[in-house]
Amino acid sequence: MPEAATILDPTLGWILLALFGVGWVSLGIYWGRKAKDLEGFMVAGRNVGLALGTATAVATWITSNTTMLAPQFALQLGIWGMLAYSTASIGLFLFAPLARRIRAIMPTGYTSVEFVRLRYGKVAHAVFLVISLFYCLTWMVSMAMAGGKLLEILAGIPYVYGMSVILAVCVIYTLFGGLYAVIGTDFIQSVIILIGVVVVAVAVMGRISLEDIHANLVEKRPGLLDVLFPAAIMALFNNMLFGIGEIVHSNVWWSRAFAMREDVGRKAYLLAGVLWLPIPVVAGFLGLAAPAMDIPITSPDVVGPIVATEVLGSVGAILVFVVVFCSLASSIDSLLAATGDVVTTEVVRPLFMPDANKKQLRIAAGFVIAGIGLVTWLVCLPNVGTLATVLFFAGPLVGSAIFPIVTGLFWARASATAAVLAMVLGSAGGLVAYFELGWYTGALVGTGISFAITMVGAAVGTGRFDWNRLAAEDIGS
Amino acid sequence: MILFPEWFFVGLVIGAVALAALGAITLLGLLIRDWSGRSVW
């Protein structure tokens, strides 16, 4: 990409990348001193407080999509676009009671896949493992690819270099520090992101009043203010269910529930939902401001950075670069840690190290994280654009896991057979809907089918699960 | 076409910016509280 087309000077981009890269790795190694054993490495000693617990949920859920795609959503779908994005916070709110329950019934647990194995048995475990790994790996690939592309657009850093550096930095500090490093860096990243988006938004409001932006939209693009914007309203429901499915099933969120102190999980997830809620609106507002400021938008996916740079000059470009880098790192490190935990305890351990103790599993977890990073890098290397969109196929899959997980956590009569059928048929039906009806129906149909099967299973099932079986398991002891 | 009124748009954006700013302050405040009281982790 020619340098003139970039928003930030490439040299400055490299300097920032180096500074933050060295910073995160140093912190990871420093915090890694506490991650010598499996409890420390995978669940941060199960003693995380409210500040770090809240921040890690906020930072992880703010992906580069939140900061980059929200302005594009607003520019194309208007106010409903911003609100649709904000509904992803509902997943955080709904996970709050689940986090408390998870911590209470699995005091020595490590992953969501472990829960499904103990709660529903081997078949459900296999199905859920496939869903979990597909989701985590596609999310990670899409984030790493987005990182490479964004650094190229923002600072002219070639895709392969940018993607490789971001991935390598996250792998190294996660490898050394485990969840301690992930949660610690997440705190710093969440504060940087929140301050960054606020500064840019206030600067834009200093340049043009909100009343003028509204008046401009009424005159030139009234569709963006339409209360009944059908496509945007459908996007809202799909986004909400996809978001709920992502959070309820994924070990990214379960590992944090295991890591937080027993009295912290519920409060942390509720507060995280409140803190995350405004981000898509604040970022999305930049998209709506662009037409009113007469800023020519040739590429809608970079409308946010363009507006920030127009208003704040090079300071705006640096802010956007830093916010995007933090958004990427905070998600990639969490995915590395959470996926590494699942692969180590639920794939490597039963297949290759059935008698391994916690110390051996701690060492294996490091190799697994390095391996996941390498596989992700190899998949991202050719920069096949369609790969990133594969993540959207995960909508029906994760939607179909919502009710088996939720009922499995709270109802002793939730049936294992129904859980398997709900996940398999829900995923299949949702994927058919995705391709035959439209992308916005995939998660909705998958969740609907799964809900019906789960409820019927619970109604006709005669078995009663013994909750003590969950508490009794302690991997590697 | 029914449009979102100006007061809604202004309130939404200002509310979101204020909440995000408050969020950053809250996180820092909670960290200080955890540091000086119960353990951070």
Side-chain angles (χ1 to χ4, degrees):
Chain A
M1 177 174 284
E3 291 188 10
T6 62
I7 289 161
L8 187 69
D9 175 60
T11 310
L12 194 53
W14 274 112
I15 291 171
L16 287 171
L17 199 59
L19 280 177
F20 276 90
V22 170
W24 298 145
V25 169
S26 305
L27 286 170
I29 293 171
Y30 175 69
W31 283 317
R33 296 171 309 147
K34 296 166 72 75
K36 297 297 181 200
D37 61 2
L38 195 67
E39 296 278 310
F41 190 78
M42 286 192 179
V43 286
R46 302 187 194 276
N47 196 38
V48 173
L50 188 57
L52 297 190
T54 304
T56 188
V58 172
T60 302
W61 208 215
I62 299 175
T63 67
S64 61
N65 275 349
T66 319
T67 48
M68 296 290 287
L69 203 60
Q72 184 186 349
F73 245 51
L75 187 64
Q76 294 170 337
L77 298 173
I79 287 186
W80 275 120
M82 299 195 293
L83 295 176
Y85 225 112
S86 287
T87 59
S89 66
I90 291 173
L92 291 171
F93 289 121
L94 292 181
F95 196 70
L98 270 61
R100 181 160 70 173
R101 177 74 175 160
I102 289 165
R103 190 71 171 78
I105 63 175
M106 291 184 75
T108 54
Y110 288 97
T111 71
S112 56
V113 181
E114 178 189 1
F115 164 76
V116 171
R117 173 169 53 79
L118 295 169
R119 179 66 182 82
Y120 288 131
K122 287 181 180 174
V123 180
H125 173 251
V127 174
F128 187 69
L129 185 63
V130 170
I131 291 176
S132 288
L133 292 181
F134 176 79
Y135 167 76
C136 276
L137 292 173
T138 50
W139 188 11
M140 194 143 51
V141 166
S142 75
M143 282 295 103
M145 286 182 69
K149 285 174 185 170
L150 289 172
L151 296 192
E152 187 168 285
I153 292 169
L154 295 176
I157 294 171
Y159 167 82
V160 172
Y161 294 157
M163 182 272 291
S164 303
V165 170
I166 284 186
L167 203 52
V169 165
C170 292
V171 167
I172 292 170
Y173 76 73
T174 308
L175 192 68
F176 281 105
L179 199 59
Y180 274 118
V182 171
I183 289 178
T185 50
D186 276 357
F187 183 89
I188 302 169
Q189 288 155 355
S190 64
V191 173
I192 289 174
I193 294 167
L194 285 166
I195 292 174
V197 295
V198 167
V199 167
V200 173
V202 169
V204 171
M205 285 192 280
R207 176 74 72 87
I208 184 167
S209 74
L210 293 173
E211 289 79 3
D212 286 345
I213 294 173
H214 185 271
N216 180 276
L217 290 172
V218 169
E219 185 188 341
K220 293 179 181 166
R221 306 188 67 171
L224 298 181
L225 293 172
D226 190 356
V227 174
L228 303 171
F229 195 158
I233 294 171
M234 281 189 285
L236 184 142
F237 284 105
N238 194 72
N239 232 41
M240 185 169 65
L241 280 175
F242 193 172
I244 293 170
E246 285 180 274
I247 291 183
V248 165
H249 98 282
S250 173
N251 192 52
V252 167
W253 310 99
W254 280 65
S255 63
R256 281 155 178 72
F258 291 126
M260 293 176 205
R261 284 198 293 269
E262 199 162 357
D263 60 330
V264 166
R266 189 178 66 90
K267 292 180 207 163
Y269 276 103
L270 283 175
L271 190 55
V274 174
L275 266 55
W276 193 92
L277 184 69
I279 303 298
V281 176
V282 178
F285 153 69
L286 303 182
L288 293 180
M293 296 169 75
D294 289 326
I295 297 172
I297 303 298
T298 49
S299 181
D301 54 348
V302 286
V303 60
I306 290 172
V307 171
T309 310
E310 174 74 20
V311 174
L312 285 167
S314 54
V315 174
I318 292 171
L319 261 180
V320 168
F321 187 91
V322 171
V323 165
V324 167
F325 187 61
C326 288
S327 310
L328 287 162
S330 64
S331 302
I332 293 174
D333 62 2
S334 301
L335 281 160
L336 277 168
T339 314
D341 295 352
V342 169
V343 173
T344 304
T345 59
E346 300 299 318
V347 179
V348 172
R349 184 183 65 95
L351 288 179
F352 307 111
M353 309 169 69
D355 301 318
N357 59 30
K358 287 181 189 288
K359 194 176 178 184
Q360 291 165 323
L361 288 171
R362 160 68 185 88
I363 295 166
F367 283 102
V368 167
I369 286 174
I372 292 170
L374 183 64
V375 170
T376 305
W377 182 74
L378 287 171
V379 173
C380 293
L381 206 52
N383 193 10
V384 179
T386 49
L387 266 181
T389 61
V390 173
L391 176 64
F392 297 113
F393 297 166
L397 275 62
V398 301
S400 75
I402 295 175
F403 286 98
I405 292 283
V406 174
T407 56
L409 274 170
F410 289 95
W411 293 355
R413 66 176 186 278
S415 147
T417 309
V420 173
L421 289 173
M423 288 190 282
V424 172
L425 297 178
S427 297
L431 284 172
V432 169
Y434 180 98
F435 289 108
E436 296 297 323
L437 302 176
W439 64 269
Y440 48 84
T441 62
L444 193 65
V445 171
T447 309
I449 292 172
S450 169
F451 171 75
I453 295 172
T454 308
M455 290 302 144
V456 170
V460 301
T462 53
R464 293 291 181 271
F465 183 73
D466 175 12
W467 299 109
N468 292 322
R469 286 171 56 194
L470 293 173
E473 166 118 340
D474 188 9
I475 287 172
S477 61
Chain B
M1 191 185 291
I2 306 168
L3 302 182
F4 281 108
E6 184 186 286
W7 63 263
F8 181 87
F9 176 69
V10 172
L12 181 70
V13 175
I14 289 180
V17 172
L19 192 55
L22 200 59
I25 295 165
T26 303
L27 285 179
L28 292 169
L30 282 173
L31 185 69
I32 293 166
R33 190 202 66 161
D34 281 358
W35 222 316
S36 56
R38 303 188 66 173
S39 69
V40 174
W41 50 22

